[in-house]
Amino acid sequence: MGTNPRIYLSLGQCSGSELQFVQDAINNNWVTSGGPDVNAFEIALQHFFKLPIFVTGLSSGTAAIHLGLILLGVQTGDVVLCQSMTFSASANPILYQGATPVFIDSEIQTWNLCPIALEQAIVSEMGKGKKPKAIIAVHLYGVPYQIEAVRAVADAYQIPILEDSAEALGSAYKGQKCGTFGDIGVLSFNGNKIITTSGGGAIVTPTAALKQKAVFYATQSRDDAPHYQHSAIGYNYRMSNICAGIGRGQMEVLEAHVAKRRAMHDFYADFFQNYKGISVFTVPNEDYFANYWLSAIVVDPLLANGLTRETLRLALEAENIESRPLWKPMHLQPIFEKYPYYGGSVSETLFDTGLCMPSGSNLSDADRERITKVLTAILEPFYN
Ligand SMILES: *Cc1c(COP(=O)(O)O)cnc(C)c1O
């Protein structure tokens, strides 16, 4: 370990006004789940999306994915198609519902759901007698998936999309914000995401009726009666009003955080351009706008003179700089490997060769200088 302070992969950063919102909530005794700050935070997000959609604040992004599946009617025995290359929270709620996950490979342009493998999976599963109930599509590292191609497949077979936009708040495709492309959208405000509520999430729905349903399930499914009566299974998934206060403060810096993360991407693109065999993950064309939640690189040892992702990661770690392999695909995870998988080896190859670099909005010029110096020294013996 170097004696330098650790540079982390992704840390949250406060705007300074979070404390005032939280203080006001406490002064007004709104130390509750749900409350006026949750409402205000939801409205701020709805304004941000610039579309007539409805946002419901929840306790986590994982809870939002679970509720999303419930709202789409996923039940025991159903099949749910899910992008394999993602964080496990995209897939776990399929199992919460007693449904069967079927994993799909990525395509090489956006690293997200491959529309061709998706269609193969649908046809094959329908051949087995089960039409899939939902498609979980993810915007990995804030890069939008192939919005139109995935939608075309979903519509052709009339299967709804659950859009996991946990990493993509502030990203857009053809000017429309991520989180609004699915039949239902999911956001996360976990501590390492673009903005944080310390822990929280939200579900995005196209109608007020669906929002009402989301709130109903998230607050223990209470029927309309003076006593506690339940005709559906409920959950304790509503966002805390204190957390929403933090979220209101964070909304003031959302755009700034996106700009800073994008600047980190440009920093790496600039640095690595002179190193053959190391490519920085970048959107395929101008229709795509990425928040670049995490900047990611791919190291091809054949072109990079024998340098591997792992050599680079360990050398950074020795200098107290955190980096991390890309998400390990779900079909390779011990808990999920028994489920069907469609596609080739795109996600597996990305996992073998990819690395996420320090990307936080809190990184300073001095941090970037240190990263430049360390990377230059690590790469020197491979490029001389
Ligand atoms: C963070 C994340 C989630 C889960 O969000 P939490 O708020 O941490 O529960 C889901 N999907 C993806 C792709 C994520 O990165």
Side-chain angles (χ1 to χ4, degrees), residues 192-225:
N192 60 350
K193 298 285 161 64
I194 280 283
I195 62 165
T196 182
T197 58
S198 75
I203 195 163
V204 182
T205 52
T207 65
L210 266 179
K211 175 181 167 123
Q212 215 170 16
K213 258 189 165 173
V215 172
F216 171 76
Y217 286 117
T219 53
Q220 308 287 18
S221 301
R222 275 188 70 190
D223 293 342
D224 190 11

Side-chain angles (χ1 to χ4, degrees), residues 149-196:
V150 170
R151 175 51 75 185
V153 174
D155 283 355
Y157 296 91
Q158 303 214 330
I159 303 171
I161 296 173
L162 182 57
E163 179 195 6
D164 182 347
S165 195
E167 302 178 0
L169 186 58
S171 298
Y173 178 75
K174 290 189 174 172
Q176 183 180 334
K177 305 253 190 229
C178 289
T180 64
F181 290 105
D183 294 84
I184 288 180
V186 165
L187 309 175
S188 168
F189 313 111
N190 193 34
N192 60 350
K193 298 285 161 64
I194 280 283
I195 62 165
T196 182

Side-chain angles (χ1 to χ4, degrees), residues 339-362:
Y339 296 107
Y341 169 74
Y342 293 88
S345 58
V346 171
S347 59
E348 190 165 349
T349 304
L350 285 170
F351 172 62
D352 287 340
T353 56
L355 192 66
C356 294
M357 303 296 288
S359 308
S361 42
N362 61 322

Side-chain angles (χ1 to χ4, degrees), residues 320-348:
N320 214 11
I321 296 175
E322 185 182 26
S323 64
R324 191 179 298 153
L326 305 186
W327 297 124
K328 179 172 180 175
M330 292 304 113
H331 72 281
L332 303 176
Q333 298 283 357
I335 188 71
F336 291 125
E337 64 192 6
K338 63 174 176 283
Y339 296 107
Y341 169 74
Y342 293 88
S345 58
V346 171
S347 59
E348 190 165 349

